[in-house]
Amino acid sequence: MKPGRELAGPMTRRRFIRISGAAAGLSLAALGAGFARPGRAPPLYHEWRGVALGADASLRIYHPNAAEAGRMIADALAEVRRLERVFSLYDEASALSRLNREGELADPPQELVELLATSARYARATGGAFDPTVQPLWALYARHFRMKDADPNGPSPVDIAGAAAKCGYQRVIVDAGKVAFAQPGVALTLNGIAQGYITDRVAELLRARGVTQTLVDMGETRALDAHPAGRPWSIGIKDPRADDRLLATLALDNQAVSTSGGYGTEFDAAGRFNHIFDPATGLCAKRYLSVSVVAPTATCADALSTAFSVMPVERAVCALEELGATRAYFVLMDGSMIERGV
């Protein structure tokens, strides 16, 4: 599970994917008649780039009216900012920060209740491999490696066991009127799913406004319909060992993709300890270099790429089928890749 990176200071995680295509890298530029349908004006390409929930983010819209496209982008970013005030651990006033600080939250935002219920579903389906309560483990490792003379072998087994004892998605009590923790010391992070959820919310906002042929990336990537050129969107999975090399190129059409890898955020200079934890052991994930999942929604892809990082391949494939995802790509520690689909 990917916990909140905020306790160690603001960090923007490394990107695991590369978005390619004829329009990549352009901004507010007309694509030309090659993408126009007969009898219709050619669409315009509009792009925004920035940061959402500590991750690089971007929004690509194809729309014939530049002013309307600008309004849609502004509305989408307003929605992102609103949801960050629910899920962010940077913001001490966010709903999630208040819940972690106080141990309970009355009249929680509907989005928090919804995402916690969704998180519990993924936790059950993955046998607890996805667990939003691993924040105590993050806090432990972050504190340890901030110490001047930190043991390079990491926190002690006793300290790890103590932090792991505070984890467990069953320790979160959720209903429409209140969210509470069943014992002291529990803390939540939604960084293993919130980027996907926000990506989906932006995508649905745009779809409701009549936008198609759009690529949304608010930390995870979701394609609405096909590329304006009449082909799927091309998304490349980067080699964790060589940032300029692709291991695979995926074709997305009304699908989403998420990649998780420990190398995205590391606690120590040697790279032995990373931000993805196995809730069962309290140890950092070392099974794969990265895991990518293709699913109908970014929420699903985000949660499963996180969970699969600590699961054996064949066990992950069972969850893949149960939860409606379509493909998974496991990059092994030797750099080879296993692909599985349903």
Side-chain angles (χ1 to χ4, degrees), residues 94-117:
S94 74
L96 184 59
S97 293
R98 287 185 284 122
L99 173 60
N100 282 344
R101 187 166 57 247
E102 299 167 12
E104 63 179 38
L105 186 66
D107 298 319
Q110 181 271 331
E111 293 85 0
L112 180 60
V113 172
E114 178 182 350
L115 194 52
L116 288 176

Side-chain angles (χ1 to χ4, degrees), residues 235-253:
I235 308 294
I237 299 175
K238 290 183 179 180
D239 186 339
R241 303 164 303 169
D243 211 38
D244 59 348
R245 179 172 174 262
L246 297 181
L247 291 178
T249 301
L250 314 182
L252 293 190
D253 185 340

Side-chain angles (χ1 to χ4, degrees), residues 182-272:
Q183 70 181 60
V186 176
L188 282 167
T189 172
L190 293 170
N191 278 18
I193 193 171
Q195 285 94 345
Y197 179 83
I198 292 177
T199 295
D200 287 333
R201 290 295 292 256
V202 170
E204 295 308 322
L205 182 153
L206 294 172
R207 190 188 292 278
R209 299 274 287 269
V211 174
T212 59
Q213 299 177 322
T214 292
L215 199 68
V216 179
D217 182 350
M218 296 295 141
E220 312 303 342
T221 303
R222 181 172 171 181
L224 292 184
D225 299 318
H227 190 281
R231 55 171 174 77
W233 294 88
S234 295
I235 308 294
I237 299 175
K238 290 183 179 180
D239 186 339
R241 303 164 303 169
D243 211 38
D244 59 348
R245 179 172 174 262
L246 297 181
L247 291 178
T249 301
L250 314 182
L252 293 190
D253 185 340
N254 271 326
Q255 291 175 302
V257 62
S258 171
T259 299
S260 295
Y263 72 100
T265 303
E266 296 166 338
F267 288 107
D268 61 325
R272 296 172 59 196

